[in-house]
Amino acid sequence: MTVREILKMGDPRLLRVAEPVTEFDTPAMRALIADMFDTMHAANGAGLAAPQIGVNLQLVIYGFKSNPRYPDAPQVPETVLINPVLTPLSEEMEEAFEGCLSVPGMRGSVPRYTRLRYEGVDQYNQPIKRDVDGFHARVVQHEVDHLLGKLYPMRIKDFSKFGFTEVMFPGLDPNDDD
Ligand code: NI
């Protein structure tokens, strides 16, 4: 298991549309998912998408009990989500600040659907279907956007709410370089 390099915004590999996963529970997939968890945990991330480590597959991971990067966020179950499809359950959207391990040191306010259904499969090709709201829904939308070649700054409407974390949120963990 290995902490992999996280690609940063500007790298064209982050702008690709990811390919569906067709192999499950192979040694290569198990190693990839283990590396993604190691990489996410090492960076204190709330989630990570395979394209962020240069692997162009429809595979995201997310979840935490508590996270120093988002101290007020409710917990989200640790999840491996493959070949996801999102369906909003309401037209309602809300703005909240997000960060991204591919956009280190910055935060921006991003509108997201407040309630949605997500469907896909896990690492064993077992179906996942959840109706979620709030921060859980936001994390999934952010991660699945990576599979569409979208980074959160591309979703910002109000650029007066985009800036450096150390300026906008000076109380966040200073050991956290994101
Ligand atoms: Ni991200």
Side-chain angles (χ1 to χ4, degrees):
M1 302 200 293
T2 312
V3 174
R4 305 271 289 264
E5 181 190 1
I6 298 176
L7 305 182
K8 293 194 181 75
M9 185 169 65
D11 191 306
R13 288 173 289 179
L14 290 169
L15 303 177
R16 298 181 295 187
V17 175
E19 304 285 342
V21 172
T22 57
E23 291 193 302
F24 295 87
D25 209 22
T26 60
M29 285 297 291
R30 283 196 290 271
L32 170 61
I33 291 165
D35 283 359
M36 286 177 64
F37 274 106
D38 286 350
T39 303
M40 180 177 82
H41 291 147
N44 284 327
L48 186 72
Q52 292 182 275
I53 58 167
V55 176
N56 198 38
L57 291 174
Q58 292 180 24
L59 162 59
V60 302
I61 64 169
Y62 48 87
F64 52 87
K65 287 197 172 66
S66 67
N67 187 309
R69 296 181 68 234
Y70 300 95
D72 299 324
Q75 69 178 51
V76 175
E78 195 160 86
T79 303
V80 176
L81 181 63
I82 293 173
N83 301 341
V85 176
L86 305 189
T87 308
L89 295 176
S90 156
E91 292 295 300
E92 185 189 6
M93 302 186 84
E94 68 183 356
E95 294 235 356
F97 279 93
E98 298 182 10
C100 179
L101 298 175
S102 293
V103 191
M106 304 199 78
R107 292 289 167 102
S109 183
V110 184
R112 301 286 189 188
Y113 289 107
T114 57
R115 295 179 59 236
L116 60 85
R117 171 169 298 157
Y118 66 84
E119 295 169 272
V121 296
D122 69 9
Q123 64 269 49
Y124 309 110
N125 202 19
Q126 296 300 304
I128 294 175
K129 179 177 173 182
R130 292 179 186 155
D131 293 354
V132 298
D133 59 14
F135 193 74
H136 190 161
R138 175 170 297 276
V139 167
V140 173
Q141 289 170 88
H142 176 113
E143 296 310 327
V144 171
D145 259 358
H146 279 294
L147 308 181
L148 305 171
K150 298 272 188 208
L151 298 166
Y152 82 79
M154 298 156 76
R155 300 286 192 197
I156 292 174
K157 296 280 199 297
D158 178 357
F159 280 93
S160 73
K161 295 177 182 161
F162 180 48
F164 291 96
T165 312
E166 63 181 6
V167 177
M168 301 175 82
F169 299 97
L172 279 186
D173 185 351
N175 296 319
D176 196 337
D177 65 0
D178 190 326

PDB file of all heavy atoms in Angstrom, residues 155-176:
ATOM      1  N   ARG A 155     -17.470  25.131 -10.705  1.00  0.00           N
ATOM      2  CA  ARG A 155     -18.883  25.215 -10.293  1.00  0.00           C
ATOM      3  C   ARG A 155     -19.182  26.496  -9.515  1.00  0.00           C
ATOM      4  O   ARG A 155     -20.339  26.736  -9.146  1.00  0.00           O
ATOM      5  CB  ARG A 155     -19.243  24.031  -9.385  1.00  0.00           C
ATOM      6  CG  ARG A 155     -19.083  22.660 -10.001  1.00  0.00           C
ATOM      7  CD  ARG A 155     -20.175  22.383 -10.974  1.00  0.00           C
ATOM      8  NE  ARG A 155     -20.206  20.971 -11.376  1.00  0.00           N
ATOM      9  CZ  ARG A 155     -20.856  20.554 -12.462  1.00  0.00           C
ATOM     10  NH1 ARG A 155     -21.524  21.402 -13.229  1.00  0.00           N
ATOM     11  NH2 ARG A 155     -20.845  19.272 -12.778  1.00  0.00           N
ATOM     12  N   ILE A 156     -18.162  27.280  -9.187  1.00  0.00           N
ATOM     13  CA  ILE A 156     -18.375  28.470  -8.360  1.00  0.00           C
ATOM     14  C   ILE A 156     -19.147  29.521  -9.152  1.00  0.00           C
ATOM     15  O   ILE A 156     -18.849  29.781 -10.317  1.00  0.00           O
ATOM     16  CB  ILE A 156     -17.016  29.034  -7.876  1.00  0.00           C
ATOM     17  CG1 ILE A 156     -16.373  28.064  -6.884  1.00  0.00           C
ATOM     18  CG2 ILE A 156     -17.194  30.416  -7.241  1.00  0.00           C
ATOM     19  CD1 ILE A 156     -14.968  28.469  -6.452  1.00  0.00           C
ATOM     20  N   LYS A 157     -20.153  30.094  -8.463  1.00  0.00           N
ATOM     21  CA  LYS A 157     -20.920  31.187  -9.078  1.00  0.00           C
ATOM     22  C   LYS A 157     -20.443  32.544  -8.549  1.00  0.00           C
ATOM     23  O   LYS A 157     -20.427  33.525  -9.272  1.00  0.00           O
ATOM     24  CB  LYS A 157     -22.416  31.019  -8.757  1.00  0.00           C
ATOM     25  CG  LYS A 157     -23.050  29.771  -9.350  1.00  0.00           C
ATOM     26  CD  LYS A 157     -23.390  29.976 -10.820  1.00  0.00           C
ATOM     27  CE  LYS A 157     -24.418  28.968 -11.317  1.00  0.00           C
ATOM     28  NZ  LYS A 157     -23.928  27.582 -11.248  1.00  0.00           N
ATOM     29  N   ASP A 158     -20.107  32.582  -7.255  1.00  0.00           N
ATOM     30  CA  ASP A 158     -19.744  33.839  -6.604  1.00  0.00           C
ATOM     31  C   ASP A 158     -18.262  33.787  -6.220  1.00  0.00           C
ATOM     32  O   ASP A 158     -17.899  33.202  -5.193  1.00  0.00           O
ATOM     33  CB  ASP A 158     -20.625  34.036  -5.361  1.00  0.00           C
ATOM     34  CG  ASP A 158     -20.284  35.310  -4.598  1.00  0.00           C
ATOM     35  OD1 ASP A 158     -19.329  36.028  -4.983  1.00  0.00           O
ATOM     36  OD2 ASP A 158     -20.969  35.583  -3.598  1.00  0.00           O
ATOM     37  N   PHE A 159     -17.434  34.406  -7.068  1.00  0.00           N
ATOM     38  CA  PHE A 159     -15.990  34.313  -6.838  1.00  0.00           C
ATOM     39  C   PHE A 159     -15.499  35.213  -5.702  1.00  0.00           C
ATOM     40  O   PHE A 159     -14.316  35.187  -5.376  1.00  0.00           O
ATOM     41  CB  PHE A 159     -15.225  34.585  -8.135  1.00  0.00           C
ATOM     42  CG  PHE A 159     -15.202  33.373  -9.026  1.00  0.00           C
ATOM     43  CD1 PHE A 159     -16.167  33.206 -10.014  1.00  0.00           C
ATOM     44  CD2 PHE A 159     -14.251  32.383  -8.851  1.00  0.00           C
ATOM     45  CE1 PHE A 159     -16.168  32.075 -10.811  1.00  0.00           C
ATOM     46  CE2 PHE A 159     -14.249  31.254  -9.645  1.00  0.00           C
ATOM     47  CZ  PHE A 159     -15.211  31.099 -10.629  1.00  0.00           C
ATOM     48  N   SER A 160     -16.407  35.978  -5.094  1.00  0.00           N
ATOM     49  CA  SER A 160     -16.001  36.682  -3.873  1.00  0.00           C
ATOM     50  C   SER A 160     -15.882  35.696  -2.711  1.00  0.00           C
ATOM     51  O   SER A 160     -15.342  36.039  -1.659  1.00  0.00           O
ATOM     52  CB  SER A 160     -17.006  37.791  -3.529  1.00  0.00           C
ATOM     53  OG  SER A 160     -18.212  37.252  -3.030  1.00  0.00           O
ATOM     54  N   LYS A 161     -16.391  34.466  -2.913  1.00  0.00           N
ATOM     55  CA  LYS A 161     -16.287  33.430  -1.876  1.00  0.00           C
ATOM     56  C   LYS A 161     -15.342  32.334  -2.347  1.00  0.00           C
ATOM     57  O   LYS A 161     -15.669  31.144  -2.342  1.00  0.00           O
ATOM     58  CB  LYS A 161     -17.677  32.866  -1.547  1.00  0.00           C
ATOM     59  CG  LYS A 161     -18.602  33.893  -0.926  1.00  0.00           C
ATOM     60  CD  LYS A 161     -19.967  33.311  -0.687  1.00  0.00           C
ATOM     61  CE  LYS A 161     -20.917  34.352  -0.095  1.00  0.00           C
ATOM     62  NZ  LYS A 161     -22.313  33.944  -0.284  1.00  0.00           N
ATOM     63  N   PHE A 162     -14.184  32.721  -2.813  1.00  0.00           N
ATOM     64  CA  PHE A 162     -13.148  31.788  -3.251  1.00  0.00           C
ATOM     65  C   PHE A 162     -11.823  32.398  -2.830  1.00  0.00           C
ATOM     66  O   PHE A 162     -11.546  33.553  -3.171  1.00  0.00           O
ATOM     67  CB  PHE A 162     -13.207  31.617  -4.770  1.00  0.00           C
ATOM     68  CG  PHE A 162     -12.190  30.669  -5.343  1.00  0.00           C
ATOM     69  CD1 PHE A 162     -11.973  29.411  -4.792  1.00  0.00           C
ATOM     70  CD2 PHE A 162     -11.453  31.031  -6.461  1.00  0.00           C
ATOM     71  CE1 PHE A 162     -11.061  28.528  -5.346  1.00  0.00           C
ATOM     72  CE2 PHE A 162     -10.534  30.149  -7.033  1.00  0.00           C
ATOM     73  CZ  PHE A 162     -10.336  28.899  -6.468  1.00  0.00           C
ATOM     74  N   GLY A 163     -11.041  31.648  -2.058  1.00  0.00           N
ATOM     75  CA  GLY A 163      -9.781  32.218  -1.612  1.00  0.00           C
ATOM     76  C   GLY A 163      -8.943  31.232  -0.843  1.00  0.00           C
ATOM     77  O   GLY A 163      -9.237  30.027  -0.800  1.00  0.00           O
ATOM     78  N   PHE A 164      -7.912  31.756  -0.226  1.00  0.00           N
ATOM     79  CA  PHE A 164      -6.958  30.910   0.482  1.00  0.00           C
ATOM     80  C   PHE A 164      -7.517  30.506   1.846  1.00  0.00           C
ATOM     81  O   PHE A 164      -8.044  31.347   2.588  1.00  0.00           O
ATOM     82  CB  PHE A 164      -5.619  31.630   0.627  1.00  0.00           C
ATOM     83  CG  PHE A 164      -4.921  31.779  -0.698  1.00  0.00           C
ATOM     84  CD1 PHE A 164      -5.040  32.941  -1.442  1.00  0.00           C
ATOM     85  CD2 PHE A 164      -4.196  30.719  -1.226  1.00  0.00           C
ATOM     86  CE1 PHE A 164      -4.427  33.061  -2.682  1.00  0.00           C
ATOM     87  CE2 PHE A 164      -3.583  30.822  -2.464  1.00  0.00           C
ATOM     88  CZ  PHE A 164      -3.705  31.993  -3.198  1.00  0.00           C
ATOM     89  N   THR A 165      -7.371  29.225   2.163  1.00  0.00           N
ATOM     90  CA  THR A 165      -7.892  28.699   3.423  1.00  0.00           C
ATOM     91  C   THR A 165      -7.319  29.470   4.610  1.00  0.00           C
ATOM     92  O   THR A 165      -8.047  29.809   5.552  1.00  0.00           O
ATOM     93  CB  THR A 165      -7.525  27.211   3.552  1.00  0.00           C
ATOM     94  OG1 THR A 165      -7.856  26.554   2.340  1.00  0.00           O
ATOM     95  CG2 THR A 165      -8.265  26.564   4.708  1.00  0.00           C
ATOM     96  N   GLU A 166      -6.034  29.756   4.594  1.00  0.00           N
ATOM     97  CA  GLU A 166      -5.388  30.392   5.755  1.00  0.00           C
ATOM     98  C   GLU A 166      -5.931  31.796   5.988  1.00  0.00           C
ATOM     99  O   GLU A 166      -5.867  32.306   7.107  1.00  0.00           O
ATOM    100  CB  GLU A 166      -3.867  30.445   5.567  1.00  0.00           C
ATOM    101  CG  GLU A 166      -3.450  31.290   4.387  1.00  0.00           C
ATOM    102  CD  GLU A 166      -1.935  31.321   4.177  1.00  0.00           C
ATOM    103  OE1 GLU A 166      -1.232  30.605   4.880  1.00  0.00           O
ATOM    104  OE2 GLU A 166      -1.504  32.082   3.295  1.00  0.00           O
ATOM    105  N   VAL A 167      -6.481  32.418   4.936  1.00  0.00           N
ATOM    106  CA  VAL A 167      -7.048  33.753   5.071  1.00  0.00           C
ATOM    107  C   VAL A 167      -8.515  33.670   5.480  1.00  0.00           C
ATOM    108  O   VAL A 167      -8.964  34.385   6.380  1.00  0.00           O
ATOM    109  CB  VAL A 167      -6.915  34.528   3.737  1.00  0.00           C
ATOM    110  CG1 VAL A 167      -7.582  35.896   3.844  1.00  0.00           C
ATOM    111  CG2 VAL A 167      -5.446  34.657   3.353  1.00  0.00           C
ATOM    112  N   MET A 168      -9.254  32.759   4.834  1.00  0.00           N
ATOM    113  CA  MET A 168     -10.701  32.695   5.048  1.00  0.00           C
ATOM    114  C   MET A 168     -11.077  31.885   6.286  1.00  0.00           C
ATOM    115  O   MET A 168     -12.110  32.124   6.892  1.00  0.00           O
ATOM    116  CB  MET A 168     -11.382  32.101   3.809  1.00  0.00           C
ATOM    117  CG  MET A 168     -11.116  32.912   2.552  1.00  0.00           C
ATOM    118  SD  MET A 168     -11.814  32.130   1.080  1.00  0.00           S
ATOM    119  CE  MET A 168     -13.507  32.666   1.192  1.00  0.00           C
ATOM    120  N   PHE A 169     -10.246  30.892   6.625  1.00  0.00           N
ATOM    121  CA  PHE A 169     -10.543  30.003   7.765  1.00  0.00           C
ATOM    122  C   PHE A 169      -9.293  29.861   8.622  1.00  0.00           C
ATOM    123  O   PHE A 169      -8.709  28.773   8.696  1.00  0.00           O
ATOM    124  CB  PHE A 169     -11.007  28.630   7.268  1.00  0.00           C
ATOM    125  CG  PHE A 169     -12.267  28.684   6.451  1.00  0.00           C
ATOM    126  CD1 PHE A 169     -12.224  28.704   5.079  1.00  0.00           C
ATOM    127  CD2 PHE A 169     -13.505  28.718   7.083  1.00  0.00           C
ATOM    128  CE1 PHE A 169     -13.386  28.761   4.323  1.00  0.00           C
ATOM    129  CE2 PHE A 169     -14.679  28.778   6.340  1.00  0.00           C
ATOM    130  CZ  PHE A 169     -14.623  28.798   4.953  1.00  0.00           C
ATOM    131  N   PRO A 170      -8.849  30.949   9.257  1.00  0.00           N
ATOM    132  CA  PRO A 170      -7.564  30.908   9.973  1.00  0.00           C
ATOM    133  C   PRO A 170      -7.548  29.934  11.144  1.00  0.00           C
ATOM    134  O   PRO A 170      -6.473  29.568  11.610  1.00  0.00           O
ATOM    135  CB  PRO A 170      -7.376  32.360  10.435  1.00  0.00           C
ATOM    136  CG  PRO A 170      -8.732  32.977  10.386  1.00  0.00           C
ATOM    137  CD  PRO A 170      -9.482  32.272   9.301  1.00  0.00           C
ATOM    138  N   GLY A 171      -8.725  29.469  11.607  1.00  0.00           N
ATOM    139  CA  GLY A 171      -8.732  28.536  12.734  1.00  0.00           C
ATOM    140  C   GLY A 171      -8.484  27.086  12.363  1.00  0.00           C
ATOM    141  O   GLY A 171      -8.317  26.240  13.242  1.00  0.00           O
ATOM    142  N   LEU A 172      -8.438  26.770  11.097  1.00  0.00           N
ATOM    143  CA  LEU A 172      -8.258  25.359  10.720  1.00  0.00           C
ATOM    144  C   LEU A 172      -6.860  24.882  11.086  1.00  0.00           C
ATOM    145  O   LEU A 172      -5.931  25.654  11.199  1.00  0.00           O
ATOM    146  CB  LEU A 172      -8.501  25.188   9.217  1.00  0.00           C
ATOM    147  CG  LEU A 172      -9.958  25.082   8.775  1.00  0.00           C
ATOM    148  CD1 LEU A 172     -10.012  24.770   7.283  1.00  0.00           C
ATOM    149  CD2 LEU A 172     -10.714  24.006   9.540  1.00  0.00           C
ATOM    150  N   ASP A 173      -6.756  23.574  11.263  1.00  0.00           N
ATOM    151  CA  ASP A 173      -5.523  22.922  11.707  1.00  0.00           C
ATOM    152  C   ASP A 173      -4.304  23.413  10.907  1.00  0.00           C
ATOM    153  O   ASP A 173      -4.198  23.167   9.716  1.00  0.00           O
ATOM    154  CB  ASP A 173      -5.699  21.415  11.523  1.00  0.00           C
ATOM    155  CG  ASP A 173      -4.532  20.633  12.061  1.00  0.00           C
ATOM    156  OD1 ASP A 173      -3.497  21.237  12.420  1.00  0.00           O
ATOM    157  OD2 ASP A 173      -4.666  19.401  12.119  1.00  0.00           O
ATOM    158  N   PRO A 174      -3.364  24.097  11.599  1.00  0.00           N
ATOM    159  CA  PRO A 174      -2.222  24.631  10.870  1.00  0.00           C
ATOM    160  C   PRO A 174      -1.284  23.562  10.334  1.00  0.00           C
ATOM    161  O   PRO A 174      -0.449  23.836   9.454  1.00  0.00           O
ATOM    162  CB  PRO A 174      -1.520  25.509  11.916  1.00  0.00           C
ATOM    163  CG  PRO A 174      -1.941  24.958  13.232  1.00  0.00           C
ATOM    164  CD  PRO A 174      -3.315  24.414  13.028  1.00  0.00           C
ATOM    165  N   ASN A 175      -1.394  22.310  10.868  1.00  0.00           N
ATOM    166  CA  ASN A 175      -0.554  21.243  10.340  1.00  0.00           C
ATOM    167  C   ASN A 175      -1.071  20.685   9.029  1.00  0.00           C
ATOM    168  O   ASN A 175      -0.414  19.882   8.374  1.00  0.00           O
ATOM    169  CB  ASN A 175      -0.463  20.100  11.353  1.00  0.00           C
ATOM    170  CG  ASN A 175       0.229  20.543  12.622  1.00  0.00           C
ATOM    171  OD1 ASN A 175       1.224  21.264  12.561  1.00  0.00           O
ATOM    172  ND2 ASN A 175      -0.296  20.146  13.755  1.00  0.00           N
ATOM    173  N   ASP A 176      -2.255  21.111   8.710  1.00  0.00           N
ATOM    174  CA  ASP A 176      -2.906  20.624   7.506  1.00  0.00           C
ATOM    175  C   ASP A 176      -2.548  21.588   6.371  1.00  0.00           C
ATOM    176  O   ASP A 176      -2.903  22.759   6.424  1.00  0.00           O
ATOM    177  CB  ASP A 176      -4.413  20.617   7.751  1.00  0.00           C
ATOM    178  CG  ASP A 176      -5.130  19.798   6.739  1.00  0.00           C
ATOM    179  OD1 ASP A 176      -4.579  19.614   5.646  1.00  0.00           O
ATOM    180  OD2 ASP A 176      -6.241  19.342   7.045  1.00  0.00           O
TER     181      ASP A 176
END
